Amino acid sequence: MVFKRLLGSLGVGGPTVDTVLDPGAARPGGVLSGHVHLVGGSADHDVEHVALELVARVEAEHAGAAEDGAAGGEGVVAFDRHTVGGAFRLAAGERHSVPFTVSLPWETPVTELYGQPLGIVLGVRTELAVAGARDKGDLDPLTVSPLPAQEAVLEAFGQLGFGFRSADLEYGRIGGTGQQLPFYQEVELTPPPRYAHQVNEIELTFLAVPGALEVVLEADKRGGPFSDGHDALSRFTVPHDGPAGPQDWNALVDGWIQELVEHRASYGSHAVYGHESGALSGTAGAVTATTAVAAGAAGLAAGVAGGMVAAEVVDEVGDFLEGEDEDGLGGGAEDGLGGGAEDGFV
């Protein structure tokens, strides 16, 4: 891609930029590599720096929704930033390539499972600073596959009969956890007949750290004829390489589910590990990132209903990449971007 807005901020005949990511999906806590290709414009330019931002389309409930009836919205959040090139002079018409290898945050959301898109939209946005002017317009899709432990947990849910309902990114925090990013990924699962009378759905969140994976489960409980339904929430920690000893993943996850739905969670309640939502600035058009991956004995990624999900996700990523330059969701280094866990809005 070429900067669409360079013509406005750097003038006609300014440099152009194309960021190319190396093939293959990245992984949380892993590396992202590639090259930033620059072509000089009609005159020489002094490049101050080349930077990359990781951005995500995130949903948020309006902080005052209860009072003003607002339904919330979606916006773009920058959750990490890396300077990959320092100062240099780019001559007119000169071709220059900046290689990069950067580390992804451990909590980077997963966008696919066994090659099937989950509806999560991430991007890598390139910023070029030239002689005091900054512009970002080269936005490329970022594909992230799960860590082995994340994949094993999702597969175990599928083996136990749970179905995939949707996945999204929620702005806010899960209290009592070590969450670092200003949002969390939530995977909604439908229960098998064994648990259908106890829960409507189970919401799954992964919070990875070096060497371990924190799994947060929330059960949307069914209410009886004389009682209201309510939520139960528990969290569990497992090493990246899986449970120790002879216990398999299916047995481990099944134990988590039983503990959750039978009110035997020993990690606290909603009052301790509740969700803390907030307002998201820079909303720009609703983009519903839901899919319907059919789950069966082979796991959650057994198939995509009618082939429609993949097409919808491709369209959504395209809208995200094409509309970003026009939505006015700008912001720069002075905005405190770069993984700030509190207000990394753009």
Side-chain angles (χ1 to χ4, degrees), residues 149-150 153 211-215 236-244 249 252 256:
Q150 293 173 325
V153 169
L213 177 67
E214 188 172 24
V215 182
F236 309 89
T237 301
V238 64
H240 284 313
D241 55 358
W249 283 101
L252 179 67
W256 294 348

Side-chain angles (χ1 to χ4, degrees), residues 7-27:
L7 295 178
S9 64
L10 299 181
V12 176
T16 59
V17 177
D18 183 23
T19 297
V20 179
L21 304 180
D22 288 344
R27 279 185 168 173

Side-chain angles (χ1 to χ4, degrees), residues 76-78 171 182 278-282 330-332 335-337 340 342-346:
V76 178
V77 172
Y171 181 75
L280 179 65
S281 69
D335 293 334
L337 307 179
E342 298 173 0
D343 54 7
F345 309 135
V346 292

Side-chain angles (χ1 to χ4, degrees), residues 246-309:
Q247 188 179 36
D248 62 23
W249 283 101
N250 285 13
L252 179 67
V253 172
D254 193 45
W256 294 348
I257 298 166
Q258 292 182 43
E259 182 173 329
L260 179 66
V261 301
E262 293 174 6
H263 303 280
R264 291 187 286 108
S266 60
Y267 297 96
S269 65
H270 220 50
V272 179
Y273 301 114
H275 294 176
E276 304 167 5
S277 61
L280 179 65
S281 69
T283 57
V287 181
T288 303
T290 58
T291 59
V293 178
L300 290 176
V304 177
M308 296 179 60
V309 172

Side-chain angles (χ1 to χ4, degrees), residues 83-123:
T83 298
V84 297
F88 62 94
R89 188 167 184 80
L90 184 65
E94 178 187 0
R95 294 182 177 273
H96 184 80
S97 183
V98 179
F100 63 85
T101 299
V102 299
S103 298
L104 296 181
W106 282 97
E107 291 179 17
T108 299
V110 174
T111 67
E112 67 171 22
L113 178 63
Y114 298 127
Q116 301 290 350
L118 299 178
I120 302 299
V121 182
L122 302 181

Side-chain angles (χ1 to χ4, degrees), residues 49 55 120 130 136 142 145 181 193 300 328:
H49 69 253
V55 297
I120 302 299
V130 177
K136 336 176 201 186
L142 174 60
S145 61
L181 297 185
L300 290 176

Side-chain angles (χ1 to χ4, degrees), residues 144-167:
V144 181
S145 61
L147 294 165
Q150 293 173 325
E151 184 176 291
V153 169
L154 291 169
E155 179 67 17
F157 270 102
Q159 294 284 350
L160 294 169
F162 283 80
F164 180 92
R165 175 173 289 169
S166 67

